[in-house]
Amino acid sequence: MAELIVYRSNALMSVRSRIDATRDVVMPLNLAYAESMVGLWHSGLPQVSLVPSTATDAQVWPVMSAVGTRIHDTSDDNCPINTGWSYVGGNHGYNVGNQIAVANHGKTTADVGSQWSDGSRIFTLLAITSTSSLLFGNPYTIVDGIAQGARVRPAAPLTHVSGATNRTTVPITGLTADVQIRPATHSHTAAVELDGRPVPGGRSTGQELVIRESYVIPTYQGMIDTARARIGTPIATIMPQLPSLCRISNEYRWSPGGSLIVAQTVTALSRFTLNAGVTQCGPLTPVAGGTRRQFMPNVGVAGGLNWSVWANIDTLTALTDFTPATLRNRLMPASSMTQWVVSGGGVQQWGIAVGLLPVADGKPEIRVRYTTAKGWFISSSLKKNYPQLVWGRTLAAGESVTGTAYRRYLTPPSTATEIVVSADGQDFVVIERVGTVAQAEMAAPQLFHRLLVPVGPTNLDVPDRVTVDGIPYHVPVSPGYGTWRAEPDQVASGPLPGATGPRGSYFLVRSGPTLSRTCTSTYQRLLLHPVFLAAPTPVDRACVEVTVAGTGVLRHGVYAHDPATGRPAVLGPIADFGTVAVTSVGVRESVLVAPVVLPAGWHWYAHVWQASGTTPPAVRVSGVGATTTLNLGAGAAAMTGDRFGYEVTGVTGALGAITITGVHQFPPPQVAYRRA
């Protein structure tokens, strides 16, 4: 059985495990990195390295010898949070300090907390860093009840305002701006376990190494106000007494095969705006003459590069944000990437897969609401990836945000990212591939006969369960992607409509009596109807019945449900099934280019009569309504008459983002799907 070898000397550790037939991967970690945070670096192992499996302990610990090949610099990969104006936590402090070099300034601890002016702003002396250096905290402003520090530099020499014993003016000729103010955390704890046992010094073996850490970040306003109120007391000595911004709880889990799971919970202790990404990832270490290539499923063109194929990140020239506009499917924010180092001849050397798992606040339907500004970004200078769990979400005191990310090192040859990620007692299957393929297969013997439940949008054709040979799949459209939760194959209490039956069979989303209803007054009105399914169901065809011929076409598709509003999600459809002709009677079938997974629970079937409004057609509709609530607004007028769902006016072409304009009186069409 594969195992971990853990080396430890006090706070420094290295984690070693087999990664292919002849090599091991060795990953560093440090329990006392910047300000005692857990960090993914130590001086004896400056980078994650590949070593021959025959390498001895002495060759890799405590210092990695020349036997290793460096593949990844992780020295800055422990993840802080962002308050909208500064990173803080992890190995970061608030970046709103001004360091001023002043030879023999004469100021002492008695002057800490004093206030100084450049003629227009007040700066606070926070620390005497040396006999020739002073650290000033910048002013803050209150915006919507939230304090924000300002990245400004003094415009003129600082003159005394209040609080100092030594009141000599401070010149600004030796000024360094945007300095991180440290310490910016307190009450740090870290617990280390290997298979549930404490990890001693020396060499240990096991299956899973777990580190749990927690710390508190004070408010920047609290730093400044407390320093001013307690002249002569360095805030570094009284950090637990400062007002608190939030508590950070991190959990790191290493397992064999070069796998690391990072879970992060941010709990607000004061109201503030949060940007958080759980993990971040510096670029892989290149080889001479080679390049670094990166693929991101569901992402199109951004920063001048096409991420749906293998983009050369070494050519990225500008900070690149992945916003909803860059996504191929707006309902799935950028959530993963695979990066490879290739030689000048295009041969793969080593790779890494990184992503956010669809759990807690990382579920696509939750992330899509909180990453409208950006869901991921890459810096052009560092070529570093920054996934975002939330961006610009304001938390009230007591609210939390939780996410889980994975990192997995890869070795060649590889035509696709095919991995099983285990976290929180759940197993997730991730398949991502550039290029179409008629038939491929992912080995997953540990998941034999487990049920595969989609946990986000996918365009892959996979079976319901893992077979003895693995997971066969088909990529009809490049790039292919999908994530599934592998659940035990338990006996169901009864058949689930739409979730049972052989592939290729048809099912109705509603049963019961039907009527025929003419599309009078519905031209270019998108009508949305609530639909409930007991389980996620992949479909590849959608059918409606035209009962009276008319002119034009009927376009139809599916929108997700937004639990925050009780209405259809407005960013865009899960699928646009295209149009069917209504110029003759009969069942009309839309054939999908790639299967679509109809989600478990509620979603919204949508249809709109388009192209020609001369003669309204009639369609087969259900004679019974849906048992769900409709948010009608403040008045009672919308209660009069039948009400079946929401409508959007002026829809003339393909389905896209919507603005709901009211409720409608058209019964839900009788829709049949073919199971994929």
Side-chain angles (χ1 to χ4, degrees):
M1 179 178 292
E3 65 179 6
L4 297 177
I5 301 173
V6 178
Y7 307 96
R8 180 175 185 180
S9 176
N10 298 318
L12 304 185
M13 304 176 72
S14 290
V15 183
R16 177 180 180 177
S17 68
R18 183 65 61 89
I19 195 169
D20 61 21
T22 61
R23 293 181 297 179
D24 293 354
V25 60
V26 189
M27 305 164 64
L29 69 103
N30 189 339
L31 301 178
Y33 194 44
E35 300 183 19
S36 298
M37 301 296 115
V38 171
L40 306 180
W41 177 91
H42 66 73
S43 57
L45 182 58
Q47 292 194 24
V48 175
S49 297
L50 295 178
V51 302
S53 298
T54 55
T56 65
D57 294 336
Q59 289 176 305
V60 302
W61 177 260
V63 176
M64 176 66 67
S65 68
V67 71
T69 300
R70 298 180 178 184
I71 67 169
H72 194 200
D73 181 357
T74 55
S75 59
D76 195 38
D77 279 8
N78 60 326
C79 196
I81 63 167
N82 185 285
T83 63
W85 54 272
S86 176
Y87 284 96
V88 66
N91 59 338
H92 288 256
Y94 288 115
N95 63 343
V96 286
N98 280 292
Q99 190 94 25
I100 304 179
V102 185
N104 303 315
H105 52 67
K107 292 178 172 49
T108 67
T109 299
D111 299 304
V112 170
S114 56
Q115 299 179 49
W116 302 75
S117 174
D118 68 347
S120 59
R121 293 177 291 260
I122 301 296
F123 297 81
T124 304
L125 181 59
L126 290 182
I128 313 299
T129 51
S130 74
T131 57
S132 59
S133 180
L134 303 170
L135 177 64
F136 288 86
N138 291 358
Y140 63 80
T141 57
I142 305 296
V143 179
D144 191 26
I146 300 174
Q148 299 183 359
R151 296 181 67 177
V152 296
R153 59 179 64 202
L158 296 174
T159 59
H160 179 255
V161 174
S162 65
T165 300
N166 182 323
R167 301 176 180 180
T168 305
T169 296
V170 179
I172 60 171
T173 51
L175 184 146
T176 301
D178 302 335
V179 171
Q180 295 185 30
I181 298 171
R182 301 177 183 276
T185 65
H186 65 83
S187 304
H188 181 262
T189 63
V192 186
E193 294 181 344
L194 180 62
D195 296 343
R197 304 183 305 274
V199 180
R203 182 185 191 273
S204 303
T205 60
Q207 292 298 308
E208 184 177 63
L209 176 68
V210 180
I211 298 179
R212 298 179 180 89
E213 74 169 340
S214 174
Y215 57 87
V216 175
I217 300 174
T219 67
Y220 180 68
Q221 179 183 5
M223 281 186 169
I224 298 301
D225 291 353
T226 302
R228 291 176 176 179
R230 301 184 63 170
I231 300 294
T233 304
I235 59 172
T237 66
I238 56 170
M239 293 291 285
Q241 300 176 36
L242 305 184
S244 298
L245 181 77
C246 64
R247 177 178 293 279
I248 306 294
S249 299
N250 294 326
E251 183 178 272
Y252 302 85
R253 290 182 177 267
W254 286 263
S255 56
S259 177
L260 171 61
I261 300 294
V262 184
Q264 184 177 74
T265 297
V266 182
T267 303
L269 302 175
S270 298
R271 184 170 177 266
F272 80 106
T273 299
L274 174 67
N275 306 326
V278 182
T279 192
Q280 53 192 30
C281 184
L284 295 172
T285 303
V287 295
T291 58
R292 290 168 290 196
R293 304 282 175 163
Q294 182 166 315
F295 158 62
M296 300 182 70
N298 193 45
V299 178
V301 175
L305 299 178
N306 182 2
W307 303 90
S308 293
V309 294
W310 291 104
N312 182 356
I313 66 169
D314 296 315
T315 65
L316 191 67
T317 59
L319 176 69
T320 298
D321 294 336
F322 298 121
T323 65
T326 67
L327 304 177
R328 297 159 70 101
N329 181 338
R330 292 167 63 94
L331 296 178
M332 190 183 86
S335 58
S336 61
M337 71 85 171
T338 299
Q339 186 180 124
W340 279 93
V341 168
V342 297
S343 68
V347 178
Q348 293 174 329
Q349 304 296 305
W350 45 78
I352 190 171
V354 176
L356 292 170
L357 288 176
V359 298
D361 292 289
K363 296 176 180 177
E365 62 268 28
I366 296 178
R367 283 189 68 221
V368 76
R369 303 207 316 260
Y370 297 113
T371 56
T372 54
K374 65 177 77 178
W376 194 291
F377 66 97
I378 301 179
S379 64
S380 58
S381 56
L382 301 176
K383 316 301 183 189
K384 187 176 184 180
N385 281 266
Y386 298 87
Q388 297 303 310
L389 185 69
V390 296
W391 187 272
R393 179 175 176 179
T394 298
L395 301 180
E399 287 188 306
S400 296
V401 166
T402 298
T404 301
Y406 64 87
R407 300 160 66 100
R408 175 76 59 84
Y409 289 100
L410 310 171
T411 57
S414 174
T415 56
T417 302
E418 301 172 349
I419 58 177
V420 177
V421 183
S422 300
D424 298 327
Q426 302 181 87
D427 296 318
F428 296 93
V429 173
V430 179
I431 302 176
E432 298 168 353
R433 185 173 185 133
V434 174
T436 60
V437 62
Q439 190 64 52
E441 193 160 63
M442 172 184 171
Q446 71 274 41
L447 303 179
F448 173 56
H449 211 60
R450 297 270 287 277
L451 183 67
L452 292 176
V453 179
V455 286
T458 176
N459 62 356
L460 297 181
D461 185 7
V462 300
D464 296 337
R465 289 169 176 79
V466 182
T467 71
V468 67
D469 295 320
I471 305 173
Y473 65 91
H474 167 219
V475 183
V477 178
S478 179
Y481 58 86
T483 301
W484 297 261
R485 185 174 59 251
E487 295 186 344
D489 185 19
Q490 298 176 344
V491 177
S493 58
L496 299 176
T500 57
R503 300 171 70 187
S505 63
Y506 289 81
F507 65 93
L508 293 169
V509 295
R510 287 185 178 87
S511 60
T514 62
L515 307 168
S516 178
R517 176 59 63 91
T518 303
C519 298
T520 304
S521 302
T522 67
Y523 185 61
Q524 295 180 354
R525 290 168 56 200
L526 181 69
L527 309 179
L528 297 113
H529 304 267
V531 177
F532 185 87
L533 283 180
T537 307
V539 301
D540 58 11
R541 299 189 183 191
C543 308
V544 293
E545 182 186 356
V546 178
T547 55
V548 176
T551 57
V553 297
L554 189 75
R555 180 180 293 275
H556 60 154
V558 170
Y559 281 77
H561 179 69
D562 185 349
T565 63
R567 293 183 169 199
V570 299
L571 286 180
I574 294 174
D576 184 336
F577 299 150
T579 61
V580 293
V582 295
T583 52
S584 61
V585 299
V587 174
R588 298 290 172 258
E589 184 173 67
S590 295
V591 179
L592 282 59
V593 175
V596 171
V597 176
L598 300 179
W602 292 103
H603 67 270
W604 296 81
Y605 174 77
H607 60 100
V608 53
W609 174 32
Q610 295 178 331
S612 172
T614 305
T615 304
V619 295
R620 184 75 60 194
V621 299
S622 173
V624 294
T627 54
T628 186
T629 57
L630 291 177
N631 297 332
L632 302 180
M639 285 186 63
T640 60
D642 300 331
R643 301 297 172 188
F644 291 103
Y646 300 105
E647 73 172 16
V648 179
T649 56
V651 179
T652 59
L655 303 184
I658 58 174
T659 300
I660 294 172
T661 53
V663 289
H664 66 77
Q665 295 180 285
F666 198 91
Q670 186 76 316
V671 182
Y673 292 106
R674 192 178 81 163
R675 205 175 184 313

